[in-house]
Amino acid sequence: MGLQQAKLESLPFVTAELNYLAPTPGKPRTYAFDPPPGEPKSTALPEPHNVPIFDARLIAANLSLDREGFALVRHPTIVRNFYDDKEVRNVYYPAVEAFLKATLKADRVFIFDHTVRKRVEGAADIRGAGPRQPATRVHVDQTDKSGASRVREHLPDEADELLKGRVQVINVWRPIRGPLRDAPLAMCDGQTVEPGDLVASDLIYPNRSGETYSVKYNPNHRWYYIPEMRTDEALLLKCYDSATDGRTRFGPHTAFMDPTTPADAPPRESIELRTLVFHRN
């Protein structure tokens, strides 16, 4: 049974502000560096909406990547310092690769990057200028176009063969310090997302352009979060799925300011890995 049929009124929830995409002429675009003179940093402007965000801990065992588009997993780690890039790549990458391969029954998993975030009050999320900040707009990391392009970008010699099978982009998100109370992650039930809610948006880098989905407000969206996540827990977030058989293909998500967060809660520290997950059929 999908979460839509569950008795949502029985779940605890908080009401919080989420930043959707405001109507904009043309395709939204955002510069990942200082924009050219006279150009705005982004044409993707926020449209805030207050929405209920339900506590998914009580139904975590029933969450499905293929249905809701996200899942909570237990995943202890021996990594001592997530701010050590070498340790993350040498220790964490292989562990996550093996875990995803077993958990998702995949033929192959390829990790193509990671991002460490530490919230600093009032700081902007600018690459290369201090720690990365929580992403506070509703988005999906990939689009129908860019999901497949990731395979060609990272595994060019094998791409044609790999793209004959099923390809997913799955993010693995976890707190570095827990229990996490500050700026948690909210996930939208993919079953409540209409295709027209997703707006392809350009992300412009100095040497290339990427494409993500911004998300328009839909009152039918149903949002969930996992309160007080521990360091031995992780969220799997579906950002792309080549399968077009009715499974959820894109999972919108965003950080949010939980109004119940204690004033003395430590700032959020988290790490996300972005992975390509392959199935031959």
Side-chain angles (χ1 to χ4, degrees):
M1 180 176 71
L3 298 186
Q4 298 319 98
Q5 287 71 49
K7 294 183 178 178
L8 294 182
E9 62 271 17
S10 69
L11 295 178
F13 68 92
V14 297
T15 299
E17 186 177 271
L18 301 186
N19 290 311
Y20 281 92
L21 175 69
T24 180
K27 186 178 184 181
R29 54 151 183 73
T30 298
Y31 285 95
F33 59 99
D34 288 335
E39 293 278 349
K41 176 82 172 176
S42 178
T43 62
L45 301 179
E47 181 181 85
H49 288 267
N50 285 310
V51 302
I53 305 173
F54 292 92
D55 180 347
R57 271 212 182 271
L58 298 176
I59 52 174
N62 297 320
L63 295 172
S64 162
L65 273 175
D66 280 346
R67 190 176 53 244
E68 288 80 31
F70 62 94
L72 178 69
V73 295
R74 186 172 182 273
H75 187 234
T77 176
I78 62 171
V79 175
R80 294 186 177 187
N81 181 10
F82 281 103
Y83 293 95
D84 181 340
D85 189 77
K86 184 177 180 180
E87 184 179 9
V88 168
R89 293 179 183 276
N90 291 345
V91 178
Y92 193 45
Y93 274 33
V96 170
E97 180 181 327
F99 176 81
L100 285 183
K101 193 172 180 180
T103 302
L104 303 181
K105 298 178 174 58
D107 293 302
R108 184 174 176 185
V109 173
F110 179 83
I111 299 169
F112 59 89
D113 71 14
H114 72 277
T115 301
V116 175
R117 301 180 192 269
K118 181 175 182 178
R119 194 170 79 85
V120 177
E121 187 68 37
D125 182 27
I126 301 174
R127 290 166 176 79
R132 291 293 304 276
Q133 298 302 295
T136 55
R137 63 181 184 87
V138 181
H139 69 285
V140 184
D141 292 34
Q142 308 296 332
T143 65
D144 200 21
K145 174 184 173 183
S146 67
S149 295
R150 283 289 181 185
V151 184
R152 299 195 182 281
E153 178 184 350
H154 299 292
L155 298 165
D157 295 339
E158 306 165 76
D160 286 343
E161 190 62 31
L162 291 169
L163 288 167
K164 292 176 182 177
R166 182 187 179 199
V167 181
Q168 298 179 86
V169 178
I170 304 294
N171 282 16
V172 181
W173 187 98
R174 75 188 304 139
I176 290 174
R177 307 194 194 286
L180 188 143
R181 299 185 176 99
D182 176 64
L185 206 62
M187 293 76 63
C188 189
D189 182 345
Q191 299 170 112
T192 69
V193 179
E194 299 291 338
D197 300 338
L198 304 176
V199 180
S201 307
D202 286 329
L203 187 55
I204 303 171
Y205 298 91
N207 57 346
R208 67 178 184 90
S209 288
E211 190 177 70
T212 64
Y213 279 132
S214 302
V215 183
K216 296 192 293 188
Y217 175 69
N218 182 334
N220 293 323
H221 289 167
R222 294 292 175 266
W223 287 93
Y224 297 89
Y225 79 119
I226 307 293
E228 303 200 359
M229 278 187 67
R230 306 186 305 268
T231 55
D232 64 347
E233 296 179 313
L235 282 165
L236 307 184
L237 309 171
K238 185 183 287 190
C239 295
Y240 169 78
D241 194 335
S242 64
T244 56
D245 55 4
R247 288 182 261 210
T248 286
R249 301 185 64 209
F250 305 100
H253 54 276
T254 179
F256 73 99
M257 296 286 93
D258 181 350
T260 68
T261 297
D264 61 350
R268 189 243 265 190
E269 296 178 66
S270 62
I271 182 170
E272 66 226 44
L273 264 59
R274 296 197 291 173
T275 77
L276 289 164
V277 178
F278 299 101
H279 297 266
R280 292 194 184 93
N281 46 38

